[in-house]
Amino acid sequence: AAYLSTLHDPKRGPQATQLKQDRIKAGKELFDSVGCLACHGKGGASLEGMGSKMTAAELSKYLEDPIAVDKSGRMPSMLLKDDEHHLLGEYLASSKNKDFEGEFAGGDKVRGQKLVQSEGCVRCHVIQPDKQKALTLTVAADDLGAPPTFDKADTSKGCLAEKPTGRSAIYDLNAQQRESIAAFLKSLNDQPLISSAPVYDFYHAVQTFNCTACHELNNSKPSEEIIEKTPPLTNVGGKLKRDWLAKVLSDKQRVRWWMKLHMPHFGPDRTNPLVQDAVAASGVGDAPGNPTASPQQIAQGRKLISTDASAGGLACIACHGFQEYKPPAQDAARAPDMTLMATRLRPDFFNRWLRDPPRIQPGTAMPNFFVGKPEKETASTIDTMWHYFSLESGMPPPPGLVDKNNYSLAVDNDALTNRIKMPGANGPEMPRGIAVGLPGMISYCWDADTCEFKYAWLGGFIDMKDQWTGRGGGAARVQGRRFYVAPAMAPLRIGDLSKTSEHVFKGYRLLENKVPQFIYELDGVAVKESAVATKEGTGLVRTFEVDAGDKPVYFVTAEDKSVTITTSVGELKATEAAVGPKGEKIAALVLEVPKGTKSFSITIAAKETK
């Protein structure tokens, strides 16, 4: 004890904290609401007298990140925010027990360290004083009486004996506990563990982590002390995608962040195996990837989640959040962010859920929209919604969404052009970027610095928050899924395929429906370039107007298996005569525009995927 009392962590901060009643009361409210009662409620591990064991400052530091102290995760992190760990620490420190109080005197701390090393403490505990190397055993492990393997354990001796002797640990086991352990050890000999049992492991982990104190699982109900409603764990591996489960359990990802009750974090070392076990317990395989939505599906999906009943809106945004938009529903009825639907949920579960939510989760606030609806209409509506949700964070907001935190620019019947710093395709940001949103959910980025088309995306347009808030000046955020990225090579060349043309940007003018036509010069030849969305599918038609006289005109690109590229004046042919941005020889596809052609188009159509 004398030696251990010398071990202090300088990061613990001040040892003395003046406890105030208002903060103790606030800490008590947190204790009763964030989930502490799941393990420390009635019949749980008592925390009485904590203030006689640790100071408020020490408790606060520990609660901030318990796993940093004990990586086993027996005490999980409750992901406390701001001042919460201080309030809880002060509340717990207000509990005193006179039996734990008193001054400590005596003891030889030098001999104490030797005992810690010779008696085996460091076989289980890490002791690293003054940031030096951790203490190690000073005697051979065999001299401590190395524990036998399970198959050779004598259940009448050692720590399992009724009265342990010698160096055996004393765990204060009662007769029933000793018999249970002995029965388990005997079973290992009678029926050795020779194969994995993920379903068993799942339910064993649920019991170990005490998940059913807060969550319903099959016939297990949450503790009566847990007031807030939590999602059930029944068939959780068949509901959530494997990657999302891993994020929740290992990466502290939370979707119901507004709840007072906190989902604990036990540390990835302990919870990583639980992901696979949960999937196996639900009897499912890996979920398929997200589908590619068409502009028509996105447009219809926006209407479906809106509150416009005349357009078929189901009023999803009345309960579900949309990025930073908070729905009008009370927190008790609030539902997860819709832009995370396809990130979190398996498509087969989504389909079953929308068809009859109360059948899967009795008592849910989620209504059944398809009672009495024809199967064809039901299937089509659910499929459209899933394709729209597949855009994830790139989902364009529904019509009529009003949110003071929403900085998204929406495109309606006319094109929208914004000269703004844009994110690069595969490189640095473009300070002279031009974002163009076209009717039909297709948008693209054009760079005035290089006079080049850079990339195109499907979904919403751009979010201006980083440009319009704070100190401003940030790049716009693309709201959608990129379906085409132009190769890093000058696409249009005048006179000579083996060199890039000098460019000068002249500006742009607006055509019909406010579609921009970019005007620039290549080696002194005037060029006009515009783009519109294809009438069907996901794609763009880029039109070039070039009057080069006797000079040949070339369009250069690269093979891209994700799109189909066609032209209005011939075929693209493979060549090795073109040069890249640094003058290097590159393999490319080239279109030699017939002489005398003053206008031609390039169509880029995304190959649809399931």
Side-chain angles (χ1 to χ4, degrees), residues 379-447:
S380 175
T381 301
I382 293 175
D383 184 63
T384 296
M385 293 181 72
W386 183 252
H387 276 75
Y388 171 54
F389 289 146
S390 71
L391 290 171
E392 300 177 333
S393 60
M395 289 169 58
L401 179 67
V402 177
D403 178 18
K404 66 180 181 180
N405 294 315
N406 179 22
Y407 294 88
S408 299
L409 299 184
V411 180
D412 293 318
N413 297 324
D414 292 330
L416 190 58
T417 302
N418 200 338
R419 301 184 69 167
I420 183 72
K421 182 191 291 185
M422 289 290 289
N426 293 305
E429 294 176 341
M430 291 174 276
R432 297 185 67 198
I434 302 178
V436 180
L438 299 170
M441 303 293 168
I442 301 293
S443 304
Y444 67 91
C445 173
W446 204 85
D447 188 4

Side-chain angles (χ1 to χ4, degrees), residues 90-267:
E90 291 168 40
Y91 162 65
L92 294 173
S94 68
S95 173
K96 303 285 186 176
N97 185 330
K98 65 179 182 179
D99 293 338
F100 303 155
E101 302 284 357
E103 294 297 324
F104 173 77
D108 182 344
K109 63 183 180 182
V110 176
R111 183 164 180 260
Q113 178 176 334
K114 294 178 180 179
L115 287 170
V116 162
Q117 294 180 269
S118 64
E119 295 301 306
C121 302
V122 292
R123 288 210 300 193
C124 299
H125 296 276
V126 177
I127 301 178
Q128 194 171 356
D130 302 325
K131 295 185 179 181
Q132 298 172 1
K133 292 182 179 179
L135 299 184
T136 58
L137 280 172
T138 56
V139 297
D142 290 341
D143 292 342
L144 289 176
T149 57
F150 280 170
D151 59 333
K152 295 181 180 179
D154 185 343
T155 56
S156 66
K157 298 180 180 179
C159 60
L160 292 181
E162 184 176 355
K163 294 182 178 180
T165 59
R167 294 178 181 272
S168 298
I170 302 174
Y171 292 113
D172 288 328
L173 300 173
N174 59 38
Q176 183 179 357
Q177 290 171 328
R178 293 198 305 273
E179 290 172 4
S180 296
I181 295 173
F184 167 69
L185 294 175
K186 183 176 183 298
S187 74
L188 293 178
N189 286 321
D190 296 343
Q191 297 175 326
L193 299 176
I194 58 175
S195 62
S196 62
V199 176
Y200 170 83
D201 290 340
F202 170 72
Y203 286 100
H204 183 266
V206 165
Q207 185 178 27
T208 300
F209 296 130
N210 201 22
C211 303
T212 51
C214 299
H215 295 273
E216 181 178 337
L217 174 61
N218 300 334
N219 294 324
S220 298
K221 303 294 183 181
S223 166
E224 293 181 356
E225 295 179 284
I226 303 301
I227 300 175
E228 284 187 298
K229 183 74 173 176
T230 59
L233 296 183
T234 303
N235 192 40
V236 66
K239 171 185 177 180
L240 301 178
K241 290 181 176 178
R242 188 191 307 266
D243 288 348
W244 181 260
L245 268 173
K247 289 179 180 178
V248 171
L249 293 171
S250 302
D251 295 340
K252 308 177 185 179
Q253 187 73 51
R254 300 292 180 263
V255 69
R256 294 174 177 83
W257 47 266
W258 59 87
M259 291 180 65
K260 293 181 180 178
L261 187 65
H262 292 193
M263 166 72 182
H265 175 64
F266 291 90

Side-chain angles (χ1 to χ4, degrees), residues 512-524:
E512 184 179 359
N513 297 123
K514 297 185 178 179
V515 172
Q517 184 183 58
F518 299 107
I519 304 169
Y520 53 98
E521 290 183 356
L522 294 178
D523 287 345

